Amino acid sequence: KTLVTQAEASGVRGSDVWFEPGTVGWGRERTRAHFFAFESPELARAAKSPAESKLYLNLNGTWKFSWSQRVSQTPAGFEAPAFDDSAWNDMPVPGNWELNGKGFPIYTNVVYTFHTDPPLIRYRGTDEDYNPCGAYRRDFTPPDSWFDEDREVFLYIGAVCCACRVWLNGTELGFSTDSKLPAEFKLTQHLVRGRNVLAMQVLCWSAGAYLEDQDMWWLAGITRDVYVYARPRQHIQDIEVRAGADGNLDVIAEVSTAGGSVASKGLRCELFNHDANGNPDASLCKFDLAFDVRSGKVAMARGSTRVNGIEKWTAETPVLYSLMVSLPSADGNKDIETVRLRVGFRTVEVRQGRLLLNGKPLTIRGVNRHEHDWTTGHVVSRDSMLEDIKLMKANNFNAVRCAHYPNDPLWYDLCDEHGLYVVDEANIESHGVDFSPEKTLGDKEEWGAAHFVRVQRYVERDKNYTSIIIWSLGNEAGNGVNHHRTYMWLKRRDPTRPVQYEHARIEATWSTEELETIDDNTDIHCPMYPSPAKLAKYGEIHETDTTSLPLIMVEYAHAMGNSLGGFAQYWDVIHKYGVLQGGFIWDWVDQGIETEKEGKSVWGYGGDFGGPDTPSDHNFCINGLVQPDRTPNPHLFEAKKVQQPVAFEVVDLKQGRIRAINRFNFVTLEHLEFSWSITADGVEAHGGTLPIVTTAPACEDIFSIPLPARPWKPQRQVPWEYHLTVTARLRQGTPLLPAGHEVAWEQWALEPDAAVTAPPRPLGGADLPVKVTEDAIVIAAGNLVASVSKARGLLSSLVVNGQELFVEALEPNFWRPPTDNDYGANLQKELGWWRLAGKKTRLVRGPTIVSTAPGVVTIEADLAVGWGGAQLATAYEVSAAGVQIAARWRPADLQHGCVIANGYGLFLQSRQQGKRIDVEGPHVAGRWGQEGPPKKGPDCQTIKLRTPSKEIGDLVCDGDVLALQVTTEKTEAKLIVHGIVPTAQPAKDLPPGVSGVTVDATGSPDVAAWTLRRVKGAGDLLSGDEVMFESENRFLAIVDGEAVALTGENAAELATFVVQAVPQLGPPRIGFRGLLHSGFEDVVFYGRGPHESYMDRFASARVLRHEGSIVDQTFRYVRPQENGNKMETRWMALKRGSAAIAAPAGLLVAAAGSSPTLAMQCHRFEPKAFDGPEDKLQQECKHGWAMEARSETHFFVDAAQMGVGGIDSWGSRPLPQHLIYGDQKFDWSFRLCPLSSEQVKADGEAYAVLARIPELNDLETAA
């Protein structure tokens, strides 16, 4: 407190105050615990808010406001009471300027909006002096009773961004920084009866903004409540309550004596339990706190008691009590003020390598949350907070990290009440300053007070909130003496909670795969974005070491766009090791702001506001589990399922014996009702409830399901597919969740019944007529006519009852619209040559009629894909039931003389020295030989040939002018790619006969600096070729391990490289796409749903029969991208609307042959609306809600699609098991069966039979 007082007392005054890092504030009241003192115990017990007190005056509402582009333009003398503000605009308080017509929102992630030159502020846009300033004015009239009763009066400003000066009636009261903490000023000596004028000057970016570089919108204004309140001259100044799990209740209070002796002997304390509505009920105990006068201004009071029979607070059982602390009058006959605090009894500690609550290890199922509203920005209402808590509890979260600043006090009240563990965090992030020790602000003495005061003030404000179980020193602010000092102070100040700091490590940056060296200023190892393998490594090393720190991921599973792939793999590892205690997903809400684009209301993100010079990190703020209006993104369901606190395992499926594992930390399973169901082809056939399960926390029990005797359904020629599902739901409702809310579930496939032995009735009849035209082979089968294109070998037409279904041919498809994670990992470039591969297939054999049988004709065609030798073999089996498509994918062999295409990755190995070119940062060198680097994968030295004049996937030839692209850096936003280029620096120590310059990786990746020269001369580039790269008569070479560009008679000998094709990833998807004419409206499908699912994100999708509109199968991510995939689909029936004319009534797409399930999608939106080019910023449709539904229907049928990934969105690919590799082969089949109106009416049962036996083409047999 001494340091705080000195820092505030010694600060600069006046107009120079803004840009002094050591001036953290002056004139403020010392920060205290957040509470309101009522004028009587009765009112304190009954009041729902301070507004019921006569000592409270709310100043929220409309203020007069003047906005200017820089502080020097603020109207002179505006603080004077007589100033004429009639021409000023209005501004809501609380409110952000930029969302109320003044200025524009700016979003950046890492870089500041201003040039990094602390403490100076120079805007990054065209006008470097741009730094908006707002002047506020309003008047208020305090009650006369406040003067009559000789009360002290204070101003409370909940939060101001970024810094402010305050005047009352023309007198400056003080200055405040820290845009997420309150500032309180004493008004008493400047207050007058009647009209008083309050004025404030708020600057957008002061020196303090260097510590507020969080990943969020830069928005200015007064963002929390403003009010005036009155107190007795002698009043309770601060209170600290510590309530332990053992029932011990300690209370420490400071009382302002107003410079005189204390009128009473002490404070009165009374503890109440709560009724069902959370109101104080029966009194549990009373005790007094005796005064100890410490100075002429402050008296201390301290006391404690043991409360027997208390219920402990946990997130699972958030039991609270009310503590009334009253200051009696001198005669003791009445209380002159009373403070009511809600108290939970609990104990937090780190002991023997575990984070413990009430003596038990915790599992943190957490999420990071920004204060964000899609219309009001950083002004968040109580209803919005409650909605967030409700959604978090409903989706099995038990913890939240206040990322990255102290929240509105109401948030902690609600977390106390409803049960969420909270990591509270100081408003400190200096991400835009280098993390290296010599540059970070965390190690600069001149920034010491700014760090210290921010930590001290938020801890003093929030010390009494039960839900806060961990303090955090800040986020991404480097490490150094300032963080070590705050850590040591905080450990002394509050020994009842652990302290964490993500950056408490020796290394400047963190690693996805390698363990960091943990520094001393953290009680918890809280890494960012580790891979599951890294977690497992920590678990293996530290599981049994009682001196190790527990690991809780401070951020992981970056939920940007279509993400959270591989989430189940994280929790598989967490459940394996006790030292791994969970983590906090990044993050909760897509930080979109409602705006209008092209006449449509959309969620805006960075770049949607301001001019072209506005700094922006674009849609990197869109990385939430829920959309801005709290509509769940599909990956929220995956988080809920994977984190569910009850797990189920099979003991004996035939006997219905299931093991229930209780992963709650404190409660039994008695509060849950367990039920079971058996589905047949996705529809419930049997079910029931189970007896009460009483499994204790962290224990397991086995229960039996009373499975009925088989057969469960009448037997038929196609066996029923059965699944068993067990579900746990709330037996009784909670204040936020209703009875019956689903908490956990699991599903297993059961053995099918035996099929009826009678063979299916095939379609007989004569051979089908086949017509070969100039363009196609045409087969007529009953009311169906199918055509296979002779030029391309594709199914080009499907006519039913004279009506064409296809808009265009059924086409191979190897591309998916890039997700944000794809862009982050540069996969849109690395795999870019697959983008048009399906459209550019070349017919190499056929189409040929290979067989005819009664009622069936089969046509085959082989297609070449790309130029590397990959082939897709197709067969079309046509009958009156429809068309069955069989496909066989055989990838290219990249290791044996394959051609090299534009965008391919390769190694360049020096023929003379045997070393490969490798890059670390900008340094280009010759290293390792054939064996490759000893501890790195081949990607570290992969070079991509990029010829700007050719499309990705076109062949590279002798004489092409190209760029040599390499990855030089991975930031927390993207991979940084540069081109290898010659420099102007002369190379040293060259052999005789040559001269040259050095080479580095600093060039633009899109600038072609080299001309390719094949040693063999003209022709396509092949793996194994010897080549040279020429730039302005210099040749790329390796000399003594260094890359150089040489000229001279001996240059050719040193400058020859052998091209070695790198094993490539396979295409992002392998399948077919089709486009149907208008009229299709609805879909029924049997597979995983109802929401989308992917190879690495399907745990939350049940195998059931699902239905809905085709339009709704598209998920509108804030930025359009790949979406809507349905894993393990057996069949998908696309149904025409009632307005459609003529047959067919629908089209069935069904997995067939050796493919029991496939991935399928259907959309009424153009896939190109989801798609983006190499540069995401150039995407044609940038907002999901700007997309327009079309009348046509697109459908996709895939043998495979790679996972969406989810470690991070700036370099990490999906996990290895969730990729498609260049040597993988795929065989698959599916059917297209027209549906009659009778079949559509019969719905799923007819679909299931048709899907498996297309010869059964009449409804009678199908039934």
Side-chain angles (χ1 to χ4, degrees), residues 32-36 156 227 341 409 413 460-462 464-465:
R32 59 174 176 85
H34 185 80
F35 60 80
F36 185 84
Y156 176 93
Y227 56 87
L341 298 171
D413 276 328
E460 293 297 346
R461 187 198 71 164
D462 296 344
N464 293 329
Y465 292 109

Side-chain angles (χ1 to χ4, degrees), residues 158-170:
V160 182
C161 185
C162 159
C164 71
R165 298 171 67 189
V166 183
W167 292 263
L168 179 67
N169 297 328

Side-chain angles (χ1 to χ4, degrees), residues 287-300:
F287 59 101
D288 294 333
L289 309 181
F291 282 134
D292 175 13
V293 178
R294 297 289 180 88
S295 71
K297 295 183 178 180
V298 174
M300 301 294 296

Side-chain angles (χ1 to χ4, degrees), residues 739-813:
H741 168 75
E742 184 179 83
V743 174
W745 63 275
E746 199 54 76
Q747 186 180 57
W748 303 273
L750 298 168
E751 290 185 6
D753 290 330
V756 175
T757 56
R761 182 172 65 120
L763 285 171
D767 291 344
L768 299 179
V770 178
K771 181 179 180 181
V772 180
T773 70
E774 182 179 350
D775 299 321
I777 300 175
V778 183
I779 305 99
N783 63 356
L784 178 149
V785 179
S787 302
V788 176
S789 163
K790 292 174 67 176
R792 298 194 61 196
L794 305 179
L795 183 65
S796 56
S797 172
L798 188 62
V799 177
V800 179
N801 284 348
Q803 183 174 356
E804 176 64 72
L805 298 186
F806 285 4
V807 176
E808 57 188 36
L810 183 72
E811 192 171 70
N813 185 34

Side-chain angles (χ1 to χ4, degrees), residues 651-783:
V651 177
D652 186 334
L653 201 54
K654 289 184 178 180
Q655 298 301 316
R657 287 170 54 78
I658 304 296
R659 176 182 293 107
I661 303 170
N662 183 358
R663 288 180 172 150
F664 285 105
N665 297 124
F666 299 99
V667 298
T668 71
L669 298 184
E670 293 176 77
H671 69 295
L672 300 177
E673 181 179 80
F674 289 78
S675 61
W676 63 275
S677 67
I678 293 175
T679 56
D681 281 3
V683 178
E684 184 171 335
H686 300 277
T689 58
L690 295 168
I692 294 177
V693 178
T694 60
T695 309
C699 295
E700 56 188 51
D701 283 321
I702 296 174
F703 60 86
S704 295
I705 296 172
L707 298 177
R710 287 177 182 262
W712 295 324
K713 292 278 286 184
Q715 289 180 304
R716 63 180 188 184
Q717 289 177 292
V718 175
W720 295 95
E721 184 181 13
Y722 295 111
H723 285 85
L724 171 65
T725 303
V726 175
T727 303
R729 300 179 182 274
L730 288 180
R731 193 175 296 278
Q732 296 181 333
T734 71
L736 293 180
L737 302 177
H741 168 75
E742 184 179 83
V743 174
W745 63 275
E746 199 54 76
Q747 186 180 57
W748 303 273
L750 298 168
E751 290 185 6
D753 290 330
V756 175
T757 56
R761 182 172 65 120
L763 285 171
D767 291 344
L768 299 179
V770 178
K771 181 179 180 181
V772 180
T773 70
E774 182 179 350
D775 299 321
I777 300 175
V778 183
I779 305 99
N783 63 356

Side-chain angles (χ1 to χ4, degrees), residues 3-4 211 426-428 441-443 447-459 471-475 477-494 497-501 504 520-523:
L3 177 57
V4 175
L211 296 183
N427 186 18
I428 297 175
L441 301 185
D443 207 40
W447 290 88
H451 284 77
F452 186 90
V453 170
R454 286 170 183 255
V455 171
Q456 186 269 346
R457 292 185 70 230
Y458 101 92
V459 169
W471 299 117
S472 169
L473 301 181
N475 181 73
N479 204 17
V481 62
N482 296 327
H483 300 292
H484 283 273
R485 285 173 179 165
T486 55
Y487 173 80
M488 290 186 288
W489 174 85
L490 187 44
K491 292 301 293 181
R492 291 193 302 270
R493 177 64 185 86
D494 182 15
R497 295 178 176 97
V499 178
Q500 73 174 41
Y501 183 44
D520 296 330
N521 54 328
T522 188
D523 301 327

Side-chain angles (χ1 to χ4, degrees), residues 886-940:
R888 186 175 71 248
W889 168 252
R890 295 298 180 262
D893 183 354
L894 293 179
Q895 299 304 310
H896 298 91
C898 74
V899 291
I900 302 296
N902 192 25
Y904 271 27
L906 46 79
F907 298 139
L908 291 178
Q909 182 165 342
S910 170
R911 185 188 64 180
Q912 195 260 352
Q913 293 201 354
K915 294 181 179 294
R916 291 177 181 169
I917 288 183
D918 186 49
V919 175
E920 286 190 3
H923 184 217
V924 184
R927 298 183 183 145
W928 311 282
Q930 291 282 3
E931 71 280 1
K935 294 183 179 180
K936 299 181 181 179
D939 285 347
C940 69

